[in-house]
Amino acid sequence: MKNNPMISSLPVLILMPHSRCDCRCIMCDIWKQRSVQEISEAQLSKQLTAMQHLGVQWVIFSGGEPLLHSNLFSLCTLLRDKGIKVTLLSTGQRLKELSPEISKCTDGVILSLDGPEPVHDAIRRVKGAFARMKEGILAVRNIRPGYAFSARVTVQRQNFMVLRETVHAARILGLDSISFLAVDVSSNAFNRPTPWDARKQQQISVPHNQISDLEKEIKNLIQEFSKEFDSGFIRESPEKMDRIVHHYRALAGKAPPISPRCNAPWVSTVIEADGTVRPCFFHEALGNVHEQELGEILNAPGARRFRESLDVETNPICQRCVCSLFLPMPRRHNDPRIQINPS
């Protein structure tokens, strides 16, 4: 049975409103971007009708760092006035200074967390990054108690042995949840003109001869924090944590690559700071919102052919993918089966 090529309902939209970042992480090249590009209020306004027709329920501001945008909260207000949930993916470095606007204009923040304080600051290559993030969380919650903060951890060479300490760090920060995924080293996403060469990949990936150490750390994590898995504080299941180990074994050529369970190209889309529209972070562009309306792009002949022919299980890009999004396929706008959780 062929995939449905048409997009009639799009629960999730990932929007990169700003092209730069305020950290210098070794596993990401976004901070190397020299020119500043932004999605303006006027540009977003032009797409609101299309977003409503597509039934967008949740917009995630990714980046670059969204909080570097010159007028981010006007974008947030535009969306929330239409009943759309707004979440920020952030480094957390500007939370404190922007705490009044964040508490008023957004619904939650997913923070990039790399480990306990010394490890986090070393990976971010920003002195005091962890402490600044902690101060920002407190500042927002002083204004809006109970505001939703969660963390996303990218498992890589510099932090794979401190995953349990990272969960403790999330508790110290007062976060509501934490999630883990492997680092992407094989794509040209995240401002890479070309994929990294083998030498660069080795600098970031878990070393081949230490994958068994990663496996042991994850087993200990699952055993030590069983209550956190059961409660959902750790968002992944133990099986998904084991998939991180398999991902690194596949990179090392010691296991076949296995695609995650994912239907992102059918339930979401990514809009980059220059207007480029992609079915996810990793697949080729479908068009540009500065030239066409979003619905027209997503249902253009080329986009339909892409989805109709995409076999996630066997596609080489999907097999190397480090993340996944799987939602029940919506039958109509605001389908009650669609459960969206910012954490």
Side-chain angles (χ1 to χ4, degrees):
M1 182 172 142
K2 288 187 176 182
N3 294 326
N4 183 356
M6 295 296 295
I7 296 289
S8 60
S9 186
L10 190 81
V12 179
L13 191 154
I14 300 165
L15 178 63
M16 301 177 181
H18 189 85
S19 60
R20 305 275 330 248
C21 188
D22 51 10
C23 287
R24 300 291 182 268
C25 307
I26 191 172
M27 68 280 191
C28 176
D29 286 344
I30 290 175
W31 59 272
K32 296 178 181 178
Q33 174 82 24
R34 293 185 178 181
S35 62
V36 176
Q37 295 174 313
E38 289 191 341
I39 298 289
S40 70
E41 182 178 359
Q43 289 165 342
L44 182 60
S45 294
K46 290 180 181 179
Q47 300 299 326
L48 281 179
T49 299
M51 291 167 63
Q52 288 182 285
H53 286 164
L54 290 165
V56 173
Q57 299 175 39
W58 184 24
V59 170
I60 305 165
F61 283 122
S62 184
E65 169 55 54
L67 292 174
L68 290 175
H69 191 282
S70 61
N71 197 19
L72 178 70
F73 300 106
S74 66
L75 308 188
C76 298
T77 300
L78 274 177
L79 296 168
R80 294 177 89 230
D81 284 349
K82 300 297 182 182
I84 297 172
K85 181 180 291 186
V86 173
T87 297
L88 308 181
L89 286 176
S90 176
T91 65
Q93 299 307 289
R94 302 192 73 197
L95 292 177
K96 184 176 181 180
E97 64 183 282
L98 297 173
S99 55
E101 294 87 351
I102 292 169
S103 61
K104 178 182 178 183
C105 301
T106 68
D107 298 290
V109 174
I110 302 172
L111 294 162
S112 297
L113 178 63
D114 296 305
E117 186 167 359
V119 175
H120 179 83
D121 288 3
I123 290 174
R124 296 275 120 185
R125 295 195 283 193
V126 174
K127 187 177 180 180
F130 186 94
R132 200 170 294 114
M133 183 164 57
K134 185 177 181 180
E135 290 175 358
I137 293 168
L138 291 173
V140 173
R141 284 184 170 159
N142 280 338
I143 299 169
R144 186 174 163 188
Y147 184 91
F149 281 106
S150 59
R152 182 166 294 166
V153 182
T154 303
V155 179
Q156 42 111 333
R157 188 186 188 100
Q158 294 186 52
N159 67 3
F160 75 95
M161 289 300 294
V162 294
L163 301 186
R164 286 172 289 167
E165 293 179 52
T166 305
V167 176
H168 286 298
R171 289 295 197 196
I172 290 170
L173 290 169
L175 302 179
D176 298 304
S177 66
I178 184 172
S179 63
F180 296 87
L181 74 164
V183 68
D184 168 57
V185 298
S186 59
S187 80
N188 62 351
F190 314 116
N191 197 41
R192 299 171 196 156
T194 58
W196 285 335
D197 60 23
R199 183 171 175 271
K200 177 68 172 177
Q201 290 186 30
Q202 289 170 7
Q203 291 175 351
I204 310 300
S205 298
V206 174
H208 295 178
N209 63 352
Q210 292 185 273
I211 294 174
S212 59
D213 295 326
L214 168 64
E215 183 175 31
K216 183 177 179 181
E217 175 69 7
I218 286 179
K219 284 183 177 178
N220 289 335
L221 172 72
I222 292 169
Q223 185 175 30
E224 184 175 332
F225 292 99
S226 60
K227 291 182 180 178
E228 282 76 6
F229 280 98
D230 291 342
S231 70
F233 180 77
I234 298 177
R235 300 296 300 175
E236 278 70 36
S237 64
E239 292 74 24
K240 279 196 173 183
M241 294 299 298
D242 288 338
R243 187 178 177 274
I244 295 175
V245 178
H246 185 92
H247 174 81
Y248 281 112
R249 285 212 171 101
L251 280 179
K254 298 179 180 179
I258 298 176
S259 300
R261 187 185 186 211
C262 179
N263 62 354
W266 290 270
V267 298
S268 68
T269 197
V270 174
I271 302 178
E272 298 178 352
D274 65 356
T276 298
V277 177
R278 297 182 185 275
C280 70
F281 288 107
F282 306 107
H283 282 285
E284 293 297 320
L286 302 174
N288 192 294
V289 291
H290 300 333
E291 300 168 3
Q292 280 182 289
E293 177 262 339
L294 181 60
E296 293 174 354
I297 294 170
L298 294 178
N299 286 312
R304 296 200 308 269
R305 285 194 297 271
F306 165 76
R307 288 188 296 273
E308 190 171 29
S309 63
L310 179 61
D311 182 355
V312 171
E313 190 172 323
T314 61
N315 183 274
I317 292 175
C318 298
Q319 288 179 334
R320 296 192 299 268
C321 187
V322 297
C323 49
S324 66
L325 173 67
F326 188 87
L327 296 175
M329 291 298 288
R331 294 171 183 163
R332 59 187 182 277
H333 299 345
N334 299 317
D335 190 324
R337 296 178 304 151
I338 302 301
Q339 299 296 318
I340 294 177
N341 190 321
S343 58

